[in-house]
Amino acid sequence: MTTKRPLLWTLSVAITLLAPVAGAQQAAPRAETQESDALTDKARQLFEDGVKAAKAGKWDDAHAAFLAAWAIKPHYQIASNLGVASLRVGKPRDAAEYLTLYLREVPATKVQERQRAEASLQEARAQVAAVTVRVAPDGAEVTVDGASVGRAPLADPLFLDPGRHEVGAKLDGYVPQAQPVAATAGGTETVVLELKRAPAPDAKRAGAGSDVPPAPGVSRDGGRTAVLVGGGIATGVGAAAGVLFTVLANNRAGEAERLKSELTTGGLNGCTNTPRPAACMQQSEALDESARYSNVAFWSFVGAGTVGLGTLLYGLVSGPSEPEARVRVTPTVGIHDVGLSVGGAF
């Protein structure tokens, strides 16, 4: 059959190339020579098995035998036969790779051999896409769909089955890149990937100039603003509590004064009589509650003042990260009202 002629012709040449070379064997140690002879004999036997299978049209067996021989002796002549066998078993991508390797290494003087291999390569390339990959810098690992296929620069184009693929490159110290490719049968593509150096880690940048970096998700200005607002709110609440308890203390003091007036007759306090009127106990309770409310009001004002002063000092000492972003929060306490005064430049 005409489809077998290139394969059988190449096989005869390959068997000759796998024969022992006398001069090289004489210079090698005996143990190494024996091991080399054993591997060569094994590869030759597998090669001959592939020849027999190919003559019988058993391409699956031929492909397996040539593949095993290639694993032992990856010679370019075996690549030629393996490429043709791959084509016959429906593996055009593998066929294109092996035949391309053969044509790259076979001497230019072997004109007829090259012509036969080129014809088989054209048949394989009609079923796959050829992708030329250019990557900078050299040494980057090239990947197809996440699997490594070698390092840049690649000697041969990549052969891809029709469909969508992703060609990428990665190298330590560089940002990985990837590019999608829509491979078509018989098509050609060129992928250019230029890796950029990864930015150097900068610990000071995370802290915005601070010796201690801020907690994740919380900016320095955000934390300062939270302290100022929280301090202002606490000051306002304390001042409001002081006003409230002051009002209560005054009310109870007024109630005690009213009861005192009712109990006083002719300049004499009725509570000195025996038995004492019930209003005397009410007056005493009103005076005690007025004193308690006055104490609570006093300490509420003290706490509000302390928090307000601390918040003010923090705002002055910490300072905003931007010169124009100044915020001032001041508690305002009056006779009839209480609140916060917020001002500054935003």
Side-chain angles (χ1 to χ4, degrees):
M1 296 177 63
T2 56
T3 56
K4 298 181 182 178
R5 289 178 58 192
L7 177 65
L8 298 180
W9 174 85
T10 308
L11 291 175
S12 62
V13 177
I15 292 173
T16 302
L17 292 175
L18 288 173
V21 180
Q25 291 177 351
Q26 292 173 358
R30 181 174 181 80
E32 294 182 2
T33 301
Q34 292 176 349
E35 180 180 0
S36 177
D37 288 345
L39 291 175
T40 300
D41 291 342
K42 180 63 176 178
R44 183 183 293 106
Q45 182 60 54
L46 289 168
F47 205 86
E48 292 174 353
D49 292 342
V51 172
K52 295 177 182 178
K55 289 181 177 180
K58 299 179 180 179
W59 290 106
D60 288 333
D61 294 341
H63 177 265
F66 292 140
L67 191 61
W70 170 263
I72 298 174
K73 291 287 185 180
H75 193 276
Y76 68 88
Q77 291 286 10
I78 302 179
S80 174
N81 295 280
L82 182 55
V84 174
S86 298
L87 186 61
R88 296 296 175 262
V89 297
K91 297 179 181 293
R93 181 173 60 84
D94 293 346
E97 291 178 354
Y98 288 121
L99 290 168
T100 299
L101 185 150
Y102 169 77
L103 289 170
R104 176 160 53 85
E105 296 188 6
V106 67
T109 55
K110 296 182 177 294
V111 179
Q112 293 183 348
E113 293 90 331
R114 294 183 62 89
Q115 290 177 347
R116 294 187 179 94
E118 287 172 354
S120 297
L121 177 59
Q122 289 180 1
E123 183 180 350
R125 290 190 60 166
Q127 304 176 54
V128 298
V131 180
T132 300
V133 181
R134 298 191 181 97
V135 180
D138 289 347
E141 183 180 2
V142 182
T143 62
V144 174
D145 298 331
S148 178
V149 295
R151 292 191 174 273
L154 298 179
D156 301 316
L158 298 176
F159 297 103
L160 305 180
D161 293 322
R164 296 192 64 83
H165 301 274
E166 186 178 73
V167 178
K170 57 184 178 180
L171 182 65
D172 289 343
Y174 291 81
V175 179
Q177 287 192 15
Q179 182 175 321
V181 175
T184 58
T188 58
E189 298 283 346
T190 299
V191 174
V192 179
L193 299 173
E194 185 174 354
L195 304 185
K196 298 185 180 299
R197 286 194 174 275
D202 189 352
K204 292 184 177 180
R205 185 182 306 170
S210 174
D211 293 337
V212 180
V218 179
S219 66
R220 183 174 180 269
D221 286 346
R224 180 177 179 275
T225 301
V227 172
L228 292 176
V229 173
I233 293 174
T235 301
V237 170
V243 171
L244 174 63
F245 284 107
T246 298
V247 171
L248 293 175
N250 290 337
N251 287 340
R252 298 306 289 165
E255 179 67 15
E257 189 64 27
R258 183 184 64 79
L259 292 172
K260 179 181 179 181
S261 298
E262 293 178 356
L263 293 169
T264 302
T265 305
L268 297 176
N269 191 335
C271 293
T272 59
N273 298 330
T274 303
R276 297 176 61 186
C280 291
M281 182 63 70
Q282 296 176 0
Q283 180 193 19
S284 178
E285 291 177 353
L287 289 173
D288 290 341
E289 290 179 358
S290 176
R292 286 197 299 270
Y293 290 150
S294 295
N295 287 334
V296 174
F298 172 77
W299 289 111
S300 295
F301 284 127
V302 170
T306 302
V307 174
L309 179 60
T311 302
L312 179 61
L313 292 176
Y314 172 79
L316 294 175
V317 172
S318 63
S321 60
E322 297 293 336
E324 60 275 1
R326 295 187 176 90
V327 180
R328 183 173 63 258
V329 181
T330 305
T332 302
V333 180
I335 297 176
H336 301 292
D337 55 11
V338 62
L340 297 176
S341 175
V342 182
F346 298 87

